[in-house]
Amino acid sequence: MKKIEIKLKNCQYSIIYSNIEDAASNIIPNHLKGSRAAIITDINASKKYLPILKNILLKLNIKIIEIILPSGEKNKDLKVANKILDRLLKEKFERQDTIIALGGGVIGDLAGFVSAIIHRGVDFINIPTTLLAQVDSSIGGKTGVNSIHGKNLIGSFKQPKVVICDINTLSSLPKRELLAGYAELVKHALIGDADLFTYLEDNVNLIFDDKKILEEALIRSANVKADIVMKDELEDGIRAHLNLGHTFAHAIESASQYDGTILHGEAVSLGILMAYKTSMMKGICSNEQVNIVERHFKKIGLKTTFGSLLRKKLNANLLIDLMKNDKKVKQGYINFIIPNKIGQVSIRSDIDQKIIESVIDTTLSS
Ligand SMILES: NC(=O)c1ccc[n+]([C@@H]2O[C@H](COP(=O)([O-])OP(=O)(O)OC[C@H]3O[C@@H](n4cnc5c(N)ncnc54)[C@H](O)[C@@H]3O)[C@@H](O)[C@H]2O)c1
């Protein structure tokens, strides 16, 4: 069984690559303190995988509370978190009970957040079922919800007891969601593993058809994130590198009011390209590097331009205003993660607003 070990100052846990059946029979029960678990999932992830998970756990005499939410980013807010808390408290959820997230990044972030605050913290197990969640959001313990003031502004660090990644769950994922997840997968290569980027370039036409290639790419990408999280659990420094493209992406998502016009991963792919263009305009990375990344995104099918719906909603002033609300602002300066070259980035707070305006305007008009 393949595993990644996450070793932090105060805890240690594994990301285990296993199918849900084996995990429910042999792994999850070993991580439960009590005999009850709440499975928090959404309408799509629950269809196929909730019955499998639930039936096995029930046979092992584990009592289950199931909470099935509607799907989508607009549910990642305090109102929905509060509804979950109400339901759990009504069911007399106790401190030794465990919360299990079964779903994508929205479910993982919400369920993780609830597990951080209910009874001042209960155990949390994450079973990510999207590519984005397997390669990124399930690793590292960031949990939280969006606010009307911006994305992920309310939250907590809460490390899981164990993460179960069943790559087979990706077979029911719509292509658009797979691509959105790929944006975070390739982001890790662009931040810290140029060889992985070469592997992705070499396999760009096969990755979604060949499970072995996808698994290799997924685990190598997850390792980049795991290494960074182990060096800087609470984002005092290098962990901010993982935000490549996210200052732009969060502003784009916020402006779209999470109405589904643009998915998180799609906003990230646009944000990454905008970060490369910013770097080129600042004289850091070469035009050729920008072209290599843009060509790769086009080959795989990722967004490189805004669609007409978004163009109507966005302009440079609005996006810059929203960026100023982002967590990456320090003492009024917007911090950008800027690529130096493929496989290496740095944190910069010296990017002239005129460059950002120009990058947004050129991207909006392309
Ligand atoms: N905590 C972190 O470190 C971190 C990192 C990156 C992203 N995120 C967050 O993750 C979220 C995005 O995650 P996401 O892209 O997984 O979105 P998501 O959770 O909304 O899932 C995407 C869609 O896929 C459906 N789905 C889930 N699993 C499925 C399956 N196996 N088969 C069919 N459909 C399935 C969901 O119902 C949803 O419609 C954002 O809120 C983002 O902010 C968090």
mmCIF file of all heavy atoms in Angstrom, residues 56-79:
data_model
loop_
_atom_site.group_PDB
_atom_site.id
_atom_site.type_symbol
_atom_site.label_atom_id
_atom_site.label_comp_id
_atom_site.label_asym_id
_atom_site.label_seq_id
_atom_site.Cartn_x
_atom_site.Cartn_y
_atom_site.Cartn_z
ATOM 1 N N ILE A 56 -20.071 -0.982 5.448
ATOM 2 C CA ILE A 56 -18.949 -1.692 6.090
ATOM 3 C C ILE A 56 -18.806 -1.246 7.542
ATOM 4 O O ILE A 56 -18.662 -2.071 8.454
ATOM 5 C CB ILE A 56 -17.632 -1.491 5.305
ATOM 6 C CG1 ILE A 56 -17.778 -2.092 3.909
ATOM 7 C CG2 ILE A 56 -16.443 -2.102 6.048
ATOM 8 C CD1 ILE A 56 -16.612 -1.850 2.984
ATOM 9 N N LEU A 57 -18.897 0.059 7.780
ATOM 10 C CA LEU A 57 -18.730 0.550 9.164
ATOM 11 C C LEU A 57 -19.861 0.050 10.056
ATOM 12 O O LEU A 57 -19.636 -0.337 11.215
ATOM 13 C CB LEU A 57 -18.644 2.081 9.186
ATOM 14 C CG LEU A 57 -17.401 2.690 8.506
ATOM 15 C CD1 LEU A 57 -17.432 4.209 8.574
ATOM 16 C CD2 LEU A 57 -16.098 2.183 9.136
ATOM 17 N N LEU A 58 -21.091 0.025 9.514
ATOM 18 C CA LEU A 58 -22.230 -0.466 10.319
ATOM 19 C C LEU A 58 -22.024 -1.928 10.721
ATOM 20 O O LEU A 58 -22.294 -2.316 11.855
ATOM 21 C CB LEU A 58 -23.546 -0.308 9.545
ATOM 22 C CG LEU A 58 -24.106 1.129 9.455
ATOM 23 C CD1 LEU A 58 -25.300 1.201 8.509
ATOM 24 C CD2 LEU A 58 -24.473 1.677 10.834
ATOM 25 N N LYS A 59 -21.495 -2.710 9.760
ATOM 26 C CA LYS A 59 -21.251 -4.134 10.071
ATOM 27 C C LYS A 59 -20.223 -4.289 11.190
ATOM 28 O O LYS A 59 -20.182 -5.298 11.886
ATOM 29 C CB LYS A 59 -20.748 -4.861 8.819
ATOM 30 C CG LYS A 59 -21.902 -5.371 7.976
ATOM 31 C CD LYS A 59 -21.412 -6.269 6.852
ATOM 32 C CE LYS A 59 -22.475 -6.317 5.773
ATOM 33 N NZ LYS A 59 -21.939 -6.330 4.426
ATOM 34 N N LEU A 60 -19.361 -3.275 11.323
ATOM 35 C CA LEU A 60 -18.346 -3.330 12.387
ATOM 36 C C LEU A 60 -18.857 -2.699 13.688
ATOM 37 O O LEU A 60 -18.074 -2.341 14.571
ATOM 38 C CB LEU A 60 -17.070 -2.612 11.925
ATOM 39 C CG LEU A 60 -16.359 -3.255 10.731
ATOM 40 C CD1 LEU A 60 -15.254 -2.348 10.212
ATOM 41 C CD2 LEU A 60 -15.777 -4.618 11.105
ATOM 42 N N ASN A 61 -20.209 -2.524 13.742
ATOM 43 C CA ASN A 61 -20.872 -1.942 14.925
ATOM 44 C C ASN A 61 -20.486 -0.496 15.206
ATOM 45 O O ASN A 61 -20.470 -0.059 16.360
ATOM 46 C CB ASN A 61 -20.597 -2.782 16.187
ATOM 47 C CG ASN A 61 -21.298 -4.103 16.091
ATOM 48 O OD1 ASN A 61 -22.410 -4.175 15.536
ATOM 49 N ND2 ASN A 61 -20.670 -5.154 16.592
ATOM 50 N N ILE A 62 -20.142 0.201 14.150
ATOM 51 C CA ILE A 62 -19.876 1.632 14.321
ATOM 52 C C ILE A 62 -21.162 2.378 13.965
ATOM 53 O O ILE A 62 -21.737 2.154 12.896
ATOM 54 C CB ILE A 62 -18.695 2.066 13.424
ATOM 55 C CG1 ILE A 62 -17.425 1.375 13.929
ATOM 56 C CG2 ILE A 62 -18.527 3.583 13.418
ATOM 57 C CD1 ILE A 62 -16.347 1.239 12.926
ATOM 58 N N LYS A 63 -21.627 3.214 14.884
ATOM 59 C CA LYS A 63 -22.869 3.966 14.631
ATOM 60 C C LYS A 63 -22.545 5.153 13.725
ATOM 61 O O LYS A 63 -21.482 5.770 13.857
ATOM 62 C CB LYS A 63 -23.480 4.465 15.940
ATOM 63 C CG LYS A 63 -23.968 3.331 16.818
ATOM 64 C CD LYS A 63 -24.654 3.899 18.065
ATOM 65 C CE LYS A 63 -24.662 2.873 19.176
ATOM 66 N NZ LYS A 63 -23.333 2.674 19.785
ATOM 67 N N ILE A 64 -23.499 5.435 12.825
ATOM 68 C CA ILE A 64 -23.223 6.474 11.821
ATOM 69 C C ILE A 64 -24.283 7.571 11.861
ATOM 70 O O ILE A 64 -25.477 7.293 11.891
ATOM 71 C CB ILE A 64 -23.239 5.844 10.392
ATOM 72 C CG1 ILE A 64 -22.182 4.749 10.254
ATOM 73 C CG2 ILE A 64 -23.070 6.913 9.311
ATOM 74 C CD1 ILE A 64 -20.751 5.217 10.303
ATOM 75 N N ILE A 65 -23.814 8.820 11.853
ATOM 76 C CA ILE A 65 -24.713 9.946 11.584
ATOM 77 C C ILE A 65 -24.351 10.366 10.162
ATOM 78 O O ILE A 65 -23.167 10.609 9.882
ATOM 79 C CB ILE A 65 -24.420 11.134 12.526
ATOM 80 C CG1 ILE A 65 -24.588 10.721 13.988
ATOM 81 C CG2 ILE A 65 -25.285 12.331 12.189
ATOM 82 C CD1 ILE A 65 -24.051 11.767 14.977
ATOM 83 N N GLU A 66 -25.327 10.442 9.245
ATOM 84 C CA GLU A 66 -24.933 10.877 7.898
ATOM 85 C C GLU A 66 -25.508 12.249 7.593
ATOM 86 O O GLU A 66 -26.670 12.522 7.866
ATOM 87 C CB GLU A 66 -25.285 9.837 6.836
ATOM 88 C CG GLU A 66 -26.740 9.583 6.655
ATOM 89 C CD GLU A 66 -27.012 8.572 5.545
ATOM 90 O OE1 GLU A 66 -26.432 7.474 5.583
ATOM 91 O OE2 GLU A 66 -27.828 8.886 4.662
ATOM 92 N N ILE A 67 -24.669 13.105 7.048
ATOM 93 C CA ILE A 67 -25.098 14.457 6.696
ATOM 94 C C ILE A 67 -24.750 14.662 5.217
ATOM 95 O O ILE A 67 -23.572 14.678 4.840
ATOM 96 C CB ILE A 67 -24.390 15.517 7.572
ATOM 97 C CG1 ILE A 67 -24.737 15.265 9.048
ATOM 98 C CG2 ILE A 67 -24.787 16.937 7.142
ATOM 99 C CD1 ILE A 67 -24.132 16.260 10.014
ATOM 100 N N ILE A 68 -25.804 14.757 4.408
ATOM 101 C CA ILE A 68 -25.575 14.904 2.962
ATOM 102 C C ILE A 68 -25.942 16.334 2.562
ATOM 103 O O ILE A 68 -27.093 16.748 2.712
ATOM 104 C CB ILE A 68 -26.423 13.884 2.158
ATOM 105 C CG1 ILE A 68 -26.133 12.467 2.644
ATOM 106 C CG2 ILE A 68 -26.151 14.021 0.662
ATOM 107 C CD1 ILE A 68 -26.978 11.379 2.003
ATOM 108 N N LEU A 69 -24.961 17.063 2.072
ATOM 109 C CA LEU A 69 -25.166 18.477 1.735
ATOM 110 C C LEU A 69 -25.363 18.638 0.228
ATOM 111 O O LEU A 69 -24.953 17.764 -0.547
ATOM 112 C CB LEU A 69 -23.933 19.276 2.163
ATOM 113 C CG LEU A 69 -23.584 19.212 3.654
ATOM 114 C CD1 LEU A 69 -22.216 19.837 3.894
ATOM 115 C CD2 LEU A 69 -24.650 19.926 4.473
ATOM 116 N N PRO A 70 -25.945 19.770 -0.188
ATOM 117 C CA PRO A 70 -25.937 20.058 -1.632
ATOM 118 C C PRO A 70 -24.487 20.268 -2.068
ATOM 119 O O PRO A 70 -23.610 20.470 -1.216
ATOM 120 C CB PRO A 70 -26.730 21.367 -1.748
ATOM 121 C CG PRO A 70 -27.234 21.693 -0.406
ATOM 122 C CD PRO A 70 -26.562 20.826 0.607
ATOM 123 N N SER A 71 -24.211 20.219 -3.369
ATOM 124 C CA SER A 71 -22.808 20.360 -3.787
ATOM 125 C C SER A 71 -22.508 21.804 -4.175
ATOM 126 O O SER A 71 -23.418 22.580 -4.465
ATOM 127 C CB SER A 71 -22.527 19.434 -4.966
ATOM 128 O OG SER A 71 -23.043 20.009 -6.135
ATOM 129 N N GLY A 72 -21.229 22.152 -4.155
ATOM 130 C CA GLY A 72 -20.800 23.440 -4.699
ATOM 131 C C GLY A 72 -20.222 24.396 -3.670
ATOM 132 O O GLY A 72 -20.524 24.338 -2.483
ATOM 133 N N GLU A 73 -19.390 25.272 -4.200
ATOM 134 C CA GLU A 73 -18.637 26.237 -3.384
ATOM 135 C C GLU A 73 -19.548 27.160 -2.572
ATOM 136 O O GLU A 73 -19.187 27.599 -1.487
ATOM 137 C CB GLU A 73 -17.762 27.068 -4.355
ATOM 138 C CG GLU A 73 -16.799 28.022 -3.725
ATOM 139 C CD GLU A 73 -15.604 27.342 -3.071
ATOM 140 O OE1 GLU A 73 -15.125 26.317 -3.568
ATOM 141 O OE2 GLU A 73 -15.158 27.858 -2.025
ATOM 142 N N LYS A 74 -20.740 27.431 -3.093
ATOM 143 C CA LYS A 74 -21.608 28.379 -2.368
ATOM 144 C C LYS A 74 -22.056 27.820 -1.015
ATOM 145 O O LYS A 74 -22.542 28.562 -0.165
ATOM 146 C CB LYS A 74 -22.801 28.816 -3.232
ATOM 147 C CG LYS A 74 -23.729 27.705 -3.641
ATOM 148 C CD LYS A 74 -24.840 28.248 -4.538
ATOM 149 C CE LYS A 74 -25.757 27.128 -5.002
ATOM 150 N NZ LYS A 74 -25.041 25.933 -5.563
ATOM 151 N N ASN A 75 -21.872 26.519 -0.804
ATOM 152 C CA ASN A 75 -22.221 25.918 0.496
ATOM 153 C C ASN A 75 -21.101 26.042 1.530
ATOM 154 O O ASN A 75 -21.288 25.695 2.690
ATOM 155 C CB ASN A 75 -22.558 24.442 0.328
ATOM 156 C CG ASN A 75 -23.764 24.288 -0.550
ATOM 157 O OD1 ASN A 75 -24.859 24.691 -0.173
ATOM 158 N ND2 ASN A 75 -23.570 23.769 -1.754
ATOM 159 N N LYS A 76 -19.934 26.522 1.081
ATOM 160 C CA LYS A 76 -18.808 26.592 2.021
ATOM 161 C C LYS A 76 -18.886 27.917 2.773
ATOM 162 O O LYS A 76 -18.106 28.836 2.534
ATOM 163 C CB LYS A 76 -17.492 26.466 1.236
ATOM 164 C CG LYS A 76 -16.352 25.915 2.051
ATOM 165 C CD LYS A 76 -15.097 25.766 1.225
ATOM 166 C CE LYS A 76 -14.096 26.828 1.461
ATOM 167 N NZ LYS A 76 -12.815 26.600 0.788
ATOM 168 N N ASP A 77 -19.896 28.016 3.656
ATOM 169 C CA ASP A 77 -20.002 29.259 4.426
ATOM 170 C C ASP A 77 -20.425 28.959 5.864
ATOM 171 O O ASP A 77 -20.694 27.807 6.224
ATOM 172 C CB ASP A 77 -20.945 30.265 3.741
ATOM 173 C CG ASP A 77 -22.390 29.800 3.691
ATOM 174 O OD1 ASP A 77 -22.733 28.774 4.332
ATOM 175 O OD2 ASP A 77 -23.198 30.456 3.016
ATOM 176 N N LEU A 78 -20.485 30.020 6.669
ATOM 177 C CA LEU A 78 -20.778 29.828 8.093
ATOM 178 C C LEU A 78 -22.184 29.279 8.322
ATOM 179 O O LEU A 78 -22.409 28.545 9.280
ATOM 180 C CB LEU A 78 -20.617 31.153 8.846
ATOM 181 C CG LEU A 78 -19.212 31.495 9.319
ATOM 182 C CD1 LEU A 78 -19.216 32.824 10.048
ATOM 183 C CD2 LEU A 78 -18.643 30.401 10.249
ATOM 184 N N LYS A 79 -23.121 29.652 7.412
ATOM 185 C CA LYS A 79 -24.503 29.186 7.604
ATOM 186 C C LYS A 79 -24.558 27.663 7.531
ATOM 187 O O LYS A 79 -25.184 27.008 8.366
ATOM 188 C CB LYS A 79 -25.395 29.774 6.496
ATOM 189 C CG LYS A 79 -26.213 30.951 6.961
ATOM 190 C CD LYS A 79 -27.324 31.225 5.962
ATOM 191 C CE LYS A 79 -27.204 32.642 5.470
ATOM 192 N NZ LYS A 79 -27.630 32.900 4.131
#
